[in-house]
Amino acid sequence: MIDFVQNLISGIAVGCIYALAALGFVLVYKSSRVINFSNGQFIAIGAFLAYALAVWAKLPVLLAALLSMLLTAGLGFLVERVFLRRMVGQPIISVIMVTIGLASVLDGLMYLTPFGSGNFTFPQFLPQGGLNLGGLSVSYPQLLAIGFTAIFLLLFGWFFQRSVLGVSMRAVADDQLASMSVGVSVQRVFALAWAVAGLTAAAAGIVVGAVSGLNQDGLIAIGLAVFPAVILGGLDSVPGAVVGGIIIGILQSFSTAYLDGLFSQIGLVGGGSQYVMPFVVLLVMLWFKPHGLFGTEEIERV
Amino acid sequence: MRNPWAQTGNYRTSYEQDTTIFANYREIVSVGLLLVALCILPMFLERSQVLVLNFILIYAIAVLGLNITTGYAGLISVGQAAFMGVGAYTVALSAPHLPFWLTIPLGGLTAAILGFIVGIPSLRVKHLYLALATLAFQEIFVWVVGRSPALAQGAAIPVEMRNFLGLEIGFRNHNYFWYYIILFVLVLMVIAWRNLLRGKYGRALIAVRDNDRAADAMGMDPGRTKLFAFALGALYGGVAGGLLAYMQRAVVVEEFTLGRSVALLAMAIVGGLGTVVGSLLGPAFIEFLRLYMERLSEWMKSNAFIQSITPAGVDVASALLPLSFGLVIVLFLIFEPRGLYNWWRLLRSYFRTWPFRY
Amino acid sequence: MKRVIVLAMVAALGMVMAQGRTVNLLWSGAVTGPTSDVGGPYGAGIEDYCKYANEQKLIPNVTLNCTVRDDQYQNPNTQRIFEEALDRAKPAMYLGYSTGAMLQLKPLINEVKMPTLPASAHIGLIDPPNNQYMFLPVSSYSEQVVALMEYINRTEKNAKIALVVNPSPFGRAVVDHARRAAQRLGQTIVDVREVGGGNLDNTALLRALDAAGATYIIHQNVAGPVANILKDAKRLGLDRKIKQMGAVYTGGSDLIRLAGDAAEGYLWASSYYTLDENTPGIALQKQLAARYNRSADILNSTNYTAGMLAAAIAVEAMKRAAQRFNGRIDNETVYQALIGMNGPNAFKPGFAVSTKAGIEIDFTRTEQTGAEGLRVLEARGGKFVPVTDPFTSALFRQVRNP
């Protein structure tokens, strides 16, 4: 029983990292219907910026983290301005491909720096080890992830319900033409969505860096892990992203704990089912409930 | 038509004409000449240069398939490399028992069946979601291969063919022999592609891509049409993968990962979606870009002056490849969404009216 | 008169051949792309040793033309680079890199009879078929893991061991040999798990292995995933119950940097000397890193040592080929020189440990592993220090082929 609870808690902790990475992704999709394949690169850049500010510029870690989130938000804004804005009205495949091309460009930019290869670690800013309560254990970086996710979820909730900008974002997500006609600046909304996406991606990157060190491939891989989470939660639902992320985290934890043995019995040796189960779930969801747990079904008229 | 050799555009005026493969006999002659040129080309090339051509032609076959799925049916696929992998592993397992002219179609068939299964969500959802279904298939494929002892868990399975009808195939002629086989298969696949898409089915695909509800109302089944497109695209991928297995003499799972799928999609876009010419130009462009960027970065590393002006810790040479690859995709999409095919068209129309302008 | 002219021409030709002759050496590996943290220093090691060899004229009358090329860890690139070299500047020896590409190139390498030293120590490279021209500079991953199992057996009989390997051919290489070795030693392999990069939480993994009764974990992986598992084990208090150890690419300065305190006590099987030891090879490494302005990261990397060792073996084989075959240096003579590199003719550059007989690098026609000796090192106070003498795994030779 205690094993079960421990696996659950560890899964939730990892899931919060996915949720954090998924938030920005969903926001971009919600407002502009763009599937962003360069999310992983934003995560990596955010983490590396924080490292550079903390280690090279010798800023306090928390300040460095904050600055890197703002800078990555700026990068998101810039990317929207330079690339995505030109793609408004283009076929969806073109827009998706632009984000794939963008991912490659951002990779190239990282190769220009020493971060292109090798492993880096943040200076110690959290106490070592973790919280142990009655045989259950959570590491401090994982607590950081849970905290970050909670903060962002509250902020987003307030933002979408109360602020003018948030309401106009929802309006744009609902109907671009109609919101333009009532005077909402669609361009401003798109730019803002990308900026916020950069911000949350950087937050995710910093948490990943604190948990497991910084390595370009590892950070980018988090971007890929987000896809099952968002399909599960529904591509255009902010709470869905959080729930989806947490479910995928738990799924991975349980796969390692309970499924690896089953797989080896059917001849798939070596375990590692945590890497494939999210994608199996993704495929099954697409077969049976493509719009996810919380997503809105698209209704089309000829 | 002043210069029929450089005719561009669609001059077909009736349905009968529209269903022909070639617009006129001149097109037959020019395609024939191109084929002759491709046939004698290897005689002027080194073995390793033929190897580069082989990769380009194999990718061209896979991109042709992608052009059915993505170009004609409008379904984005980031799993074409996995379908290539299915073909390659089918070949690897059947090659000891069957001749290559059976194993390669078998690889295509297996891939088509899997493509059918992966495409099932297309009965219900549209393009965006399908991209994610193919992504899931791509990841699941690599995972399953890595866990299957029968597939050497992703390490090399040798595919050796040392003899064909008494012809000894070895280091000296391996690349040349497979060049002609690949070229032959490519020609077959192009004919099949054109043949299929000029008829009723191709028109149904376009109708479904442009507006599936309207197509539905006109009596076409959008789900089934898309599903068939998916399976067909996968079949092309499987055939390409089978050829790759023979050409590389061994199947290794690293050839069939997400990165390759993305590269294939980029080739299709850069070439021009939904065109045969684009399917050839795209892979050639991306592969030569890679080749020349590699040269450039090696030159930069060896050039003392460039080394002296770059700040320490900045590695321009290794950044060149991803930067150029990404920029090419983005710039094409922004400035030339119709791809290289459009340049080809413009070039021909320039010569048609030469020396006058419009 | 005519005779004089002919003689003069022959003499002139001889002079030209004696002085301006170049011999090609090719390496292609991942300077960028996946695993570039290994490939970068490895390539640098080869490049620097080649420069040094030319400056010191290690091969008399021959200029070494070293080509270091970046294949970005993509097999088609590796294949093209290798075939291009065969067409244009045929190398006398090929230094390879990744497991996948090397396994794929095996048939071609065998057919063109090209002596090849890969950076990957996958045992499948020197196992039949098509293995005649493949040579591993140091002991294979499998041998390292079996040696660690023997080391466990020294202090504890019937140990329960879990294997954690990278999800790739590189990681999986060791599993079969470890199972057979466990059978001989009376140990139990309780589980084999594949863990790759980005392993954000290993609680479920460690608890499952603990529940299965494992008291040892042997890693065949790269440093990143191992560091995360070490940190989690420490947090869960499992570091006292489970002893962790691993093969050559798991350890080194990268692991210490990533895992910090959690790395303490980690056991590492490696054939290479560490930077703290004073051997001719390590001294040369320090000297060359300073001469060619290499960063501290590269100097401290075991992979820099590894690259130098590969290049040193190649240069030595070429030198011996020239001596034995009248100055003829090509793939065939270099192969002969390589397989003659044994007994009193063994090669001792001082990069890797020597076995009791004092032999560092030796090859024969059938024994295609260079440095068969290895040591177990332990992380203590942020450094790896050797805890055993160099030894050769006797058991591995018994379990290599079932």
Side-chain angles (χ1 to χ4, degrees):
Chain A
M1 188 60 203
I2 186 131
D3 269 352
F4 182 84
V5 178
Q6 172 68 62
N7 291 333
L8 192 71
I9 291 176
S10 303
I12 292 172
V14 174
C16 280
I17 299 176
Y18 295 153
L20 213 49
L23 275 177
F25 180 91
V26 166
L27 210 61
V28 166
Y29 181 80
K30 200 172 157 68
S31 60
S32 60
R33 303 281 146 191
V34 173
I35 287 198
N36 179 12
F37 271 89
S38 59
N39 200 24
Q41 277 71 17
F42 276 95
I43 293 173
I45 287 175
F48 288 142
L49 276 176
Y51 178 90
L53 289 169
V55 177
W56 298 345
K58 302 212 169 22
L59 295 178
V61 174
L62 288 180
L63 183 64
L66 207 66
L67 266 179
S68 115
M69 277 152 74
L70 288 178
L71 283 173
T72 318
L75 181 71
F77 182 81
L78 197 73
V79 158
E80 200 276 337
R81 259 294 157 84
V82 177
F83 299 110
L84 273 303
R85 182 156 298 180
R86 295 166 195 273
M87 302 307 294
V88 173
Q90 297 283 341
I92 288 166
I93 169 152
S94 308
V95 187
I96 290 186
M97 266 323 278
V98 163
T99 68
I100 288 180
L102 195 63
S104 193
V105 171
L106 295 177
D107 269 341
L109 291 179
M110 280 186 268
Y111 276 126
L112 280 176
T113 68
F115 296 120
S117 69
N119 299 304
F120 303 84
T121 36
F122 281 132
Q124 193 83 34
F125 67 101
L126 292 166
Q128 289 245 321
L131 214 56
N132 287 294
L133 280 173
L136 300 173
S137 159
V138 192
S139 77
Y140 289 114
Q142 289 177 338
L143 283 177
L144 183 72
I146 297 173
F148 258 140
T149 310
I151 291 172
F152 274 108
L153 196 62
L154 287 177
L155 276 178
F156 276 32
W158 170 83
F159 178 73
F160 281 116
Q161 296 302 326
R162 298 270 179 262
S163 74
V164 176
L165 215 51
V167 174
S168 55
M169 270 182 113
R170 276 166 59 207
V172 170
D174 202 42
D175 191 332
Q176 280 185 22
L177 269 181
S179 42
M180 266 158 118
S181 65
V182 294
V184 173
S185 165
V186 174
Q187 295 193 337
R188 218 171 89 196
V189 166
F190 284 4
L192 185 73
W194 275 87
V196 177
L199 191 93
T200 53
I206 292 161
V207 173
V208 173
V211 172
S212 69
L214 295 94
N215 172 289
Q216 197 189 354
D217 289 331
L219 287 161
I220 289 171
I222 307 291
L224 206 61
V226 161
F227 286 108
V230 292
I231 283 289
L232 196 65
L235 265 176
D236 56 355
S237 159
V238 169
V242 174
V243 174
I246 289 175
I247 292 179
I248 293 295
I250 296 171
L251 176 75
Q252 285 197 325
S253 173
F254 282 3
S255 300
T256 305
Y258 309 112
L259 279 182
D260 277 3
L262 292 180
F263 271 110
S264 59
Q265 277 170 18
I266 59 166
L268 294 170
V269 297
S273 58
Q274 58 158 324
Y275 298 112
V276 78
M277 283 316 288
F279 289 101
V280 173
V281 167
L282 198 168
L283 208 54
V284 172
M285 278 304 276
L286 286 174
W287 278 334
F288 296 107
K289 196 166 173 23
H291 299 288
L293 299 173
F294 300 92
T296 31
E297 286 205 31
E298 287 168 55
I299 299 163
E300 275 183 86
R301 294 176 185 88
V302 179
Chain B
M1 278 185 271
R2 195 173 15 229
N3 183 355
W5 295 100
Q7 174 197 331
T8 61
N10 195 342
Y11 284 83
R12 295 159 168 136
T13 50
S14 68
Y15 180 73
E16 278 69 35
Q17 275 184 12
D18 206 11
T19 55
T20 52
I21 294 185
F22 299 106
N24 51 38
Y25 70 90
R26 294 185 188 91
E27 208 170 297
I28 300 182
V29 175
S30 46
V31 168
L33 281 176
L34 176 72
L35 270 179
V36 171
L38 279 175
C39 281
I40 57 173
L41 185 61
M43 293 172 191
F44 307 99
L45 297 178
E46 285 173 340
R47 228 182 18 245
S48 55
Q49 290 168 325
V50 177
L51 182 75
V52 174
L53 282 187
N54 285 351
F55 277 118
I56 291 174
L57 295 184
I58 287 175
Y59 294 151
I61 296 175
V63 169
L64 266 177
L66 207 50
N67 264 325
I68 301 176
T69 328
T70 308
Y72 262 75
L75 311 165
I76 303 159
S77 168
V78 279
Q80 189 71 344
F83 291 121
M84 282 179 77
V86 172
Y89 276 102
T90 311
V91 163
L93 295 183
S94 59
H97 315 291
L98 295 172
F100 79 93
W101 45 269
L102 278 179
T103 56
I104 292 173
L106 195 66
L109 213 64
T110 324
I113 293 168
L114 273 164
F116 191 82
I117 297 169
V118 177
I120 288 177
S122 62
L123 293 172
R124 298 189 52 178
V125 291
K126 289 183 73 174
H127 12 256
L128 279 178
Y129 287 90
L130 266 176
L132 297 179
T134 55
L135 175 73
F137 174 66
Q138 172 70 58
E139 294 297 312
I140 293 170
F141 168 78
V142 172
W143 189 88
V144 169
V145 170
R147 304 306 186 282
S148 301
L151 303 178
Q153 289 195 279
I157 305 180
V159 182
E160 292 263 32
M161 198 181 82
R162 309 306 290 265
N163 195 308
F164 176 67
L165 300 177
L167 173 70
E168 202 70 35
I169 299 164
F171 164 65
R172 306 221 162 273
N173 57 1
H174 177 88
N175 291 352
Y176 295 95
F177 173 79
W178 283 103
Y179 174 81
Y180 288 109
I181 301 285
I182 295 165
L183 188 63
F184 177 73
V185 175
L186 177 68
V187 170
L188 276 187
M189 300 301 266
V190 168
I191 293 172
W193 194 90
R194 181 77 191 105
N195 222 348
L196 187 90
L197 297 178
R198 76 197 157 111
K200 180 180 143 199
Y201 178 68
R203 282 147 192 281
L205 271 181
I206 296 172
V208 166
R209 175 191 62 191
D210 291 344
N211 191 332
D212 54 353
R213 308 281 149 165
D216 202 1
M218 288 158 76
M220 295 165 227
D221 183 340
R224 232 183 326 163
T225 314
K226 285 192 231 169
L227 207 52
F228 192 56
F230 228 94
L232 213 59
L235 185 131
Y236 275 73
V239 168
L243 289 167
L244 190 70
Y246 280 109
M247 215 264 300
Q248 293 199 304
R249 297 165 168 224
V251 181
V252 178
V253 75
E254 288 154 359
E255 292 297 302
F256 310 109
T257 50
L258 183 63
R260 179 61 44 76
S261 281
V262 168
L264 289 172
L265 198 55
M267 288 171 185
I269 300 246
V270 169
L273 275 177
T275 61
V276 173
V277 177
S279 303
L280 295 173
L281 291 179
F285 185 84
I286 296 283
E287 284 299 292
F288 279 113
L289 177 78
R290 182 208 298 283
L291 224 61
Y292 282 102
M293 284 303 141
E294 194 183 297
R295 295 277 140 81
L296 183 62
S297 83
E298 271 166 19
W299 175 78
M300 285 171 77
K301 269 184 208 161
S302 64
N303 188 301
F305 174 69
I306 290 180
Q307 287 301 314
S308 67
I309 55 167
T310 43
V314 172
D315 187 358
V316 182
S318 28
L320 262 180
L321 200 85
L323 267 181
S324 61
F325 178 74
L327 273 179
V328 159
I329 298 175
V330 172
L331 294 179
F332 261 98
L333 283 165
I334 292 177
F335 296 110
E336 187 55 276
R338 281 166 299 184
L340 287 169
Y341 169 74
N342 199 40
W343 291 4
W344 166 251
R345 203 179 57 82
L346 292 176
L347 186 78
R348 290 211 311 181
S349 82
Y350 173 79
F351 280 109
R352 187 167 64 90
T353 55
W354 190 85
F356 307 104
R357 299 187 178 202
Y358 282 106
Chain C
M1 191 60 203
K2 252 183 187 172
R3 188 176 293 170
V4 176
I5 293 173
V6 171
L7 272 177
M9 278 172 69
V10 168
L13 210 70
M15 296 264 287
V16 168
M17 281 180 56
Q19 282 174 351
R21 223 154 57 87
T22 57
V23 170
N24 299 305
L25 177 66
L26 171 71
W27 178 75
S28 80
V31 181
T32 63
T35 76
S36 54
D37 47 340
V38 175
Y42 197 94
I46 289 170
E47 217 173 321
D48 291 355
Y49 193 88
C50 282
K51 276 193 223 162
Y52 162 78
N54 275 336
E55 281 167 17
Q56 302 291 316
K57 298 199 170 36
L58 288 186
I59 315 174
N61 300 327
V62 168
T63 315
L64 191 59
N65 177 25
C66 249
T67 318
V68 168
R69 299 194 65 178
D70 179 14
D71 60 24
Q72 295 132 10
Y73 203 72
Q74 291 202 17
N75 302 348
N77 287 351
T78 319
Q79 192 179 351
R80 174 171 50 79
I81 287 168
F82 181 57
E83 292 206 19
E84 236 169 55
L86 291 177
D87 280 345
R88 291 169 199 174
K90 190 173 180 184
M93 188 157 177
Y94 175 42
L95 305 178
Y97 187 73
S98 79
T99 303
M102 288 294 107
L103 284 170
Q104 198 170 41
L105 279 179
K106 253 175 96 181
L108 182 60
I109 283 171
N110 200 55
E111 197 178 334
V112 299
K113 300 183 168 45
M114 179 63 63
T116 300
L117 280 175
S120 159
H122 191 295
I123 189 76
L125 293 174
I126 55 169
D127 276 344
N130 297 325
N131 60 333
Q132 199 187 336
Y133 295 91
M134 284 280 190
F135 298 92
L136 304 184
V138 297
S139 47
S140 66
Y141 304 135
S142 302
E143 181 165 356
Q144 292 161 15
V145 167
V146 172
L148 283 171
M149 294 169 76
E150 283 181 303
Y151 178 74
I152 293 171
N153 216 43
R154 286 186 195 176
T155 49
E156 187 183 334
K157 303 290 170 207
N158 306 324
K160 289 188 170 179
I161 301 169
L163 289 177
V164 175
V165 303
N166 193 266
S168 65
F170 150 76
R172 295 167 189 131
V174 302
V175 177
D176 285 345
H177 299 101
R179 283 190 196 281
R180 288 202 285 271
Q183 225 167 20
R184 295 280 182 103
L185 291 169
Q187 295 168 333
T188 322
I189 302 282
V190 294
D191 210 344
V192 180
R193 296 289 186 110
E194 295 185 1
V195 176
N199 49 339
L200 295 174
D201 184 90
N202 305 285
T203 312
L205 173 81
L206 284 163
R207 286 196 158 230
L209 297 183
D210 181 39
T215 48
Y216 295 92
I217 295 178
I218 300 182
H219 295 274
Q220 158 62 359
N221 218 323
V222 288
V226 177
N228 289 341
I229 293 175
L230 286 173
K231 282 192 285 188
D232 282 349
K234 187 165 186 197
R235 169 169 60 87
L236 295 167
L238 288 172
D239 55 335
R240 289 180 298 273
K241 277 177 85 178
I242 300 178
K243 184 88 178 155
Q244 306 203 37
M245 57 191 73
V248 64
Y249 284 118
T250 61
S253 52
D254 252 18
L255 184 79
I256 304 258
R257 188 169 48 201
L258 285 171
D261 291 351
E264 287 296 297
Y266 184 80
L267 297 175
W268 180 38
S270 168
S271 301
Y272 300 105
Y273 283 118
T274 67
L275 266 194
D276 304 318
E277 287 164 293
N278 190 17
T279 69
I282 297 298
L284 182 68
Q285 176 177 344
K286 288 177 180 162
Q287 179 199 335
L288 294 188
R291 190 187 301 175
Y292 303 123
N293 290 325
R294 294 295 181 182
S295 67
D297 278 354
I298 286 185
L299 168 65
N300 289 329
S301 170
T302 312
N303 304 312
Y304 188 55
T305 321
M308 285 207 176
L309 174 62
I313 294 172
V315 168
E316 179 69 16
M318 288 174 180
K319 186 173 121 193
R320 290 184 187 186
Q323 282 166 359
R324 258 175 70 185
F325 297 94
N326 231 347
R328 192 178 136 219
I329 304 179
D330 58 21
N331 54 327
E332 284 165 27
T333 59
V334 168
Y335 173 70
Q336 291 301 328
L338 263 181
I339 59 174
M341 212 179 250
N342 53 46
N345 294 324
F347 178 41
K348 199 162 183 189
F351 288 110
V353 296
S354 300
T355 48
K356 284 197 182 100
I359 288 173
E360 185 178 332
I361 308 289
D362 70 333
F363 297 106
T364 68
R365 194 179 293 277
T366 51
E367 176 56 79
Q368 286 149 288
T369 306
E372 284 142 58
L374 56 80
R375 290 179 304 183
V376 177
L377 298 95
E378 185 170 6
R380 282 183 197 157
K383 260 183 187 170
F384 275 105
V385 289
V387 291
T388 66
D389 286 334
F391 67 102
T392 301
S393 171
L395 180 63
F396 177 69
R397 288 175 177 62
Q398 296 161 28
V399 299
R400 181 174 164 187
N401 293 310

